[in-house]
Amino acid sequence: MNLKKGVALADGRLNAHADNDMTTDAARLWIDVLAYLKVRVSQEGFDTWLAPTKGQDVNKTVVEVEVPNSFFAEWLGQHYSAEIKSALKHLTGREFTVLYRARDVADAAVLKRRAALNFKPVIRPEGYRLQARYTFTNFIVGESTRFACAAARSVAERPGAAYNPLFVYGGVGLGKTHLIQAIGNHALSLHRNVKVYYVAAETLFIELIQAIEKNTRLEFKSKYRGLDLLLLDDIHYLVGKERLQEEVFHMFNHLHDAGSQVVFTSDRPPKEIPTLEERLVSRLGSGLVVDIQAPDLETRIAILKQKAALEERELPHTVAYYIAARVKKSVRELEAGLIRLFALASLNSAEITVDLAEQALKDLVVPEKPLDQETIVSATAQQFDVSQTEIKGTCRTKHLALARQTAMYLMRKKLNLSLKEIGFCFGGKDHTTVMHAIDKIERLRIQDVSFAARLKKLSSGISRG
Ligand code: ADP
Ligand code: MG
């Protein structure tokens, strides 16, 4: 059979095949196939699976290829058959059936490669990197976490079947890591053999860099691809790391297609993660997106009591209330306050009292600035997008006048200042001007829904009242 002459390749291994067997049509054809595929499949795939193969025999319809062992035959058949067929079609204009014949050569290189191929994810049965204390039982559910927690439980009960992916977002220290790890711990308690892996995006990034440096990307990939449940924490870390985004995108697609569950957390919703590729954004948000907010006062008290119980310490209600009323934004800070309180009590052999709690919270809580006229002026100016000088000035454009009148209204409502005092704050305005301003805003609040909403937002952003 007359076939085109083999293409000489720069690659040493391929030339070695050519040297041995240049005489047979099969060898030449196969060298051409490899040359064709070399630029069309990934480097890693080519080096691992295609380079060690050799054309053995060819007739009108069948090409016989020698491969190192039966595992190669299976793999090539499953993963490269379409590419190989299209290479043959391109080179000869004909369709071929490809048969693989295993050559059981036990040379060191092949054995090494084989070990890499048979690589299985190293996952301890109890779930890798999961902390035992992060359970649903230890997670106090409040209004702000009820929905997220219910979704997390469903995912743990039926990984891959409930919401996939589940995307949990919320501010720092609000329990995202706790919740995502609780999914892993709970899934493992329900399904003994489920392969769970928890990883923070930052760690994933380090693993990826190392895999690239050590040329072990195959292991890196297969480790993640064999999972039933991947818990990927702090995905906002992907910002600006395109290579990692690409990897996560493929990893996610692979797992999702295989019916495996993926859970992500982030400090913001997918759409608000800047520079995240559009296709990744849409993948991340394609399942269920839930948020967790800061807990309310009752929940904060319940969390403190539970933490104290876990530490087997007494926490009087008044003290729990004192701490919870002051530490509002983060459960992590709440915990830190409590730990400091217990440490102070132990070191000084002191009783746990509100006074001791005050000491413990000293540099942890930034005291709220008392509300005054200046705070109102500055918040209102910001809301109306004007400067403080403008709002206190005399210019009477409609927008500025409205901003000024709103600030006057808020001073009356929140600080209960006299009309004269308010007027003084705005460069000595007459009390009738102030009264007129307050009436106007009151009317507007009743008549104009969108203004009312704006006023409410501004008012609640300013603490007192
Ligand atoms: P994030 O990952 O959102 O920054 P973490 O999950 O690390 O926050 O939570 C910080 C700490 O607060 C952890 O020790 C966690 O156990 C605790 N925590 C957060 N939310 C709750 C909650 N609802 N109930 C009990 N502990 C909580
Ligand atoms: Mg976290």
Side-chain angles (χ1 to χ4, degrees):
M1 175 175 213
N2 240 347
L3 291 161
K4 276 190 279 173
K5 210 175 172 314
V7 179
L9 293 177
D11 189 301
R13 264 173 306 198
L14 294 183
N15 278 330
H17 288 315
D19 289 342
N20 290 344
D21 243 330
M22 266 316 259
T23 49
T24 73
D25 284 339
R28 264 185 250 133
L29 171 63
W30 198 245
I31 287 170
D32 284 354
V33 168
L34 293 182
Y36 182 86
L37 293 175
K38 191 172 169 59
V39 290
R40 286 173 175 80
V41 303
S42 73
Q43 164 109 35
E44 152 200 310
F46 185 88
D47 290 349
T48 312
W49 302 106
L50 293 162
T53 61
K54 196 166 148 189
Q56 218 17 260
D57 217 339
V58 63
N59 63 33
K60 276 187 191 142
T61 52
V62 179
V63 179
E64 240 182 81
V65 179
E66 192 186 274
V67 294
N69 56 58
S70 57
F71 190 67
F72 267 75
E74 208 177 297
W75 190 276
L76 285 167
Q78 275 173 11
H79 297 92
Y80 288 92
S81 77
E83 283 91 348
I84 290 171
K85 284 194 168 177
S86 93
L88 285 164
K89 177 96 202 248
H90 177 84
L91 293 166
T92 65
R94 298 215 314 272
E95 307 277 346
F96 280 94
T97 302
V98 183
L99 294 181
Y100 300 105
R101 201 193 295 149
R103 146 184 45 111
D104 262 317
V105 211
D107 72 65
V110 170
L111 282 181
K112 201 170 151 216
R113 220 179 267 283
R114 205 159 164 185
L117 303 174
N118 287 334
F119 177 87
K120 294 255 171 15
V122 190
I123 296 166
R124 287 184 287 138
E126 72 271 25
Y128 197 45
R129 287 180 175 152
L130 293 175
Q131 289 196 37
R133 73 188 178 100
Y134 288 144
T135 59
F136 284 122
T137 320
N138 289 347
F139 193 84
I140 304 284
V141 184
E143 269 321 302
S144 61
T145 49
R146 196 174 304 285
F147 187 54
C149 195
R153 273 184 178 275
S154 303
V155 162
E157 279 156 19
R158 293 179 303 133
Y163 312 106
N164 201 8
L166 175 66
F167 189 103
V168 182
Y169 73 90
V172 178
L174 292 184
K176 300 183 294 297
T177 299
H178 188 138
L179 206 55
I180 198 178
Q181 291 216 7
I183 295 177
N185 280 321
H186 195 51
L188 280 163
S189 73
L190 295 175
H191 321 281
R192 233 163 35 94
N193 293 323
V194 71
K195 285 189 224 118
V196 180
Y197 196 79
Y198 164 88
V199 69
E202 188 173 354
T203 312
L204 188 70
F205 186 58
I206 295 167
E207 284 183 11
L208 176 64
I209 300 282
Q210 284 176 345
I212 293 168
E213 275 172 6
K214 292 186 192 152
N215 210 7
T216 53
R217 285 202 47 230
L218 194 66
E219 286 92 329
F220 172 80
K221 276 188 179 165
S222 58
K223 167 175 161 184
Y224 284 95
R225 290 184 171 190
L227 297 171
D228 301 309
L229 177 52
L230 172 65
L231 309 164
L232 186 43
D233 206 0
D234 293 330
I235 197 94
H236 49 267
Y237 183 80
L238 294 185
V239 169
K241 298 182 181 65
E242 272 128 44
R243 185 68 197 268
L244 185 61
Q245 289 185 21
E246 182 77 21
E247 208 66 46
V248 168
F249 179 76
H250 291 302
M251 197 185 273
F252 171 73
N253 282 346
H254 184 93
L255 288 171
H256 194 264
D257 290 350
S260 305
Q261 176 75 47
V262 187
V263 185
F264 298 105
T265 75
S266 165
D267 64 358
R268 61 208 110 157
K271 274 197 197 121
E272 285 173 26
I273 308 180
T275 78
L276 203 59
E277 255 193 85
E278 199 50 48
R279 58 184 184 148
L280 187 54
V281 171
S282 79
R283 285 290 192 290
L284 294 178
S286 65
L288 181 68
V289 179
V290 290
D291 69 329
I292 51 177
Q293 303 278 342
D296 57 21
L297 181 68
E298 281 82 58
T299 313
R300 295 201 297 278
I301 294 174
I303 292 173
L304 285 171
K305 291 202 161 168
Q306 185 232 34
K307 301 275 171 207
L310 284 175
E311 298 276 317
E312 297 178 345
R313 306 286 297 243
E314 279 291 317
L315 182 69
H317 185 78
T318 46
V319 179
Y321 181 88
Y322 179 87
I323 300 173
R326 277 153 193 83
V327 186
K328 301 173 184 168
K329 299 219 167 86
S330 144
V331 181
R332 190 173 295 150
E333 281 179 13
L334 208 57
E335 261 183 10
L338 193 65
I339 290 167
R340 205 186 268 186
L341 173 66
F342 288 153
L344 271 181
S346 300
L347 290 173
N348 303 323
S349 308
E351 229 183 291
I352 292 177
T353 60
V354 168
D355 283 348
L356 198 67
E358 188 184 349
Q359 223 177 306
L361 296 188
K362 219 173 238 160
D363 354 283
L364 204 65
V365 185
V366 185
E368 271 179 29
K369 217 175 128 211
L371 184 60
D372 57 14
Q373 294 102 308
E374 292 314 310
T375 315
I376 292 181
V377 168
S378 119
T380 314
Q382 205 178 346
Q383 161 74 231
F384 281 81
D385 202 17
V386 297
S387 75
Q388 292 190 40
T389 319
E390 283 172 321
I391 209 171
K392 283 186 169 180
T394 51
C395 172
R396 287 209 220 148
T397 62
K398 211 170 158 197
H399 184 67
L400 264 178
L402 187 65
R404 198 172 296 131
Q405 288 159 342
T406 304
M408 289 176 175
Y409 172 88
L410 288 171
M411 281 184 192
R412 181 74 170 169
K413 293 284 166 194
K414 288 200 171 264
L415 300 176
N416 209 14
L417 295 182
S418 70
L419 300 176
K420 198 170 165 196
E421 278 171 310
I422 297 173
F424 185 74
C425 198
F426 289 87
K429 290 222 165 28
D430 188 70
H431 77 278
T432 52
T433 311
V434 177
M435 196 160 65
H436 168 75
I438 294 167
D439 285 350
K440 182 181 156 188
I441 298 300
E442 189 61 52
R443 249 183 293 121
L444 215 56
R445 191 178 69 85
I446 295 162
Q447 291 161 359
D448 182 341
V449 184
S450 81
F451 180 80
R454 195 174 180 194
L455 185 67
K456 191 169 172 206
K457 191 170 170 216
L458 173 61
S459 175
S460 56
I462 303 170
S463 55
R464 202 195 308 171

